[in-house]
Amino acid sequence: MNSLKNRVSIRQYSEQEISDELLGEILDCSRRASTSNNFQAYSVIVVRDPATKQRLTQLTGGQSHVADCPVFLAFCADLHRLRKAAQLADVDAKTNLESFLVATVDAALVGGTVQTVAESRGLGSVMIGGIRNHPLEAAELLNLPSEAYIVFGMCLGWPDAAATSSQKPRLQQELVIHRETYRTADITPKLREYDEALAHHYDQKGGSNSTHAWTGPISQHFAEPRRAHLRPCLNQMGFNFE
């Protein structure tokens, strides 16, 4: 609970390596994460090679911490292994949107578990959604089979002692936690409050002074569909959304 209450994203790491023993322990513990129907429809790719991380930096939009971190983890939704399992019973697996979602959720559950376990051991991390910028190239780089894609990545390393990172305010509990049924009252005042809290946070860090610190970026992000190329790429990678 303390790890979660105090967590921040870490993008600067010391030169200290993560031992294979510690990383193996973290990943092994995280295999106990919840999984739908025991499908375990995920795979994790551990990347230490500097050249591979440098290429991943390019594919994620120039995020230098991808190259700088000791370990980069790619969390994949993986239906390939399930198809192979079905073939043992002479069944041609019929995948669809539901199976795609199951695999994606499984990858997210194990990824969140890895992060919590790693941070409880003193490591720092940051999630990398930018890995979906170029899904085909990332899949080729990491030799993914058909019906597997990288849902997100994670940088992992020991925090640089000189780096400072203050905890960013989150949306108020009233906005994300509902009791019994979804609360549909006007949330505008709460959104304005959050804008102010986040603006103060950025101001303390010397960043943007916008009074629309959250609603502004949200509006910009959703003015046009993001990563519109993703679905056709996933079709090419063997996923069926029917």
Side-chain angles (χ1 to χ4, degrees):
M1 289 179 71
N2 286 334
S3 293
L4 289 169
K5 286 180 179 179
N6 295 297
R7 80 159 307 276
V8 294
S9 292
I10 300 295
R11 295 177 174 84
Q12 292 177 269
Y13 308 97
S14 73
E15 295 182 359
Q16 181 182 352
E17 292 293 333
I18 302 173
S19 70
D20 288 335
E21 180 181 12
L22 176 58
L23 183 60
E25 180 184 5
I26 291 168
L27 294 173
D28 195 47
C29 288
S30 299
R31 291 189 305 110
R32 301 307 308 177
S34 296
T35 172
S36 178
N37 290 289
N38 199 33
F39 285 169
Q40 303 172 74
Y42 69 89
S43 289
V44 184
I45 301 177
V46 179
V47 180
R48 291 185 183 267
D49 180 69
T52 304
K53 289 188 293 178
Q54 186 60 53
R55 176 58 178 150
L56 287 168
T57 289
Q58 297 169 353
L59 295 177
T60 56
Q63 299 185 57
S64 59
H65 36 281
V66 173
D68 295 340
C69 67
V71 173
F72 181 84
L73 301 174
F75 293 92
C76 308
D78 187 354
L79 295 176
H80 174 78
R81 186 169 54 245
L82 274 62
R83 181 171 295 281
K84 292 295 184 181
Q87 288 173 354
L88 294 177
D90 296 323
V91 172
D92 181 18
K94 306 297 184 184
T95 60
N96 61 1
L97 177 61
E98 167 64 11
S99 51
F100 170 83
L101 289 174
V102 163
T104 300
V105 171
D106 270 11
L109 289 170
V110 77
T113 304
V114 166
Q115 185 177 62
T116 300
V117 175
E119 291 180 350
S120 75
R121 295 297 301 270
L123 289 163
S125 69
V126 63
M127 300 290 199
I128 306 295
I131 195 69
R132 298 190 301 278
N133 290 347
H134 300 282
L136 292 172
E137 293 89 338
E140 181 179 5
L141 179 67
L142 300 184
N143 196 34
L144 266 60
S146 177
E147 292 184 289
Y149 86 101
I150 306 173
V151 183
F152 59 93
M154 183 191 299
C155 296
L156 202 60
W158 299 103
D160 187 332
T164 58
S165 184
S166 56
Q167 194 173 49
K168 186 181 296 183
R170 291 294 198 227
L171 286 167
Q172 304 95 312
Q173 186 177 129
E174 300 94 320
L175 287 175
V176 297
I177 307 297
H178 303 262
R179 309 294 179 185
E180 308 302 339
T181 61
Y182 196 104
R183 187 171 52 254
T184 57
D186 181 21
I187 63 173
T188 302
K190 288 294 180 182
L191 293 179
R192 296 303 184 202
E193 286 179 19
Y194 185 60
D195 269 339
E196 292 177 8
L198 197 57
H200 178 72
H201 168 79
Y202 290 143
D203 183 56
Q204 295 293 96
K205 297 182 64 176
S208 171
N209 292 320
S210 171
T211 56
H212 303 289
W214 191 73
T215 57
I218 292 297
S219 301
Q220 294 173 8
H221 277 299
F222 289 99
E224 296 290 341
R226 299 197 71 199
R227 298 190 178 109
H229 66 290
L230 189 56
R231 178 162 179 163
C233 285
L234 290 169
N235 283 331
Q236 291 184 54
M237 297 167 75
F239 288 96
N240 173 25
F241 296 104
E242 294 181 359

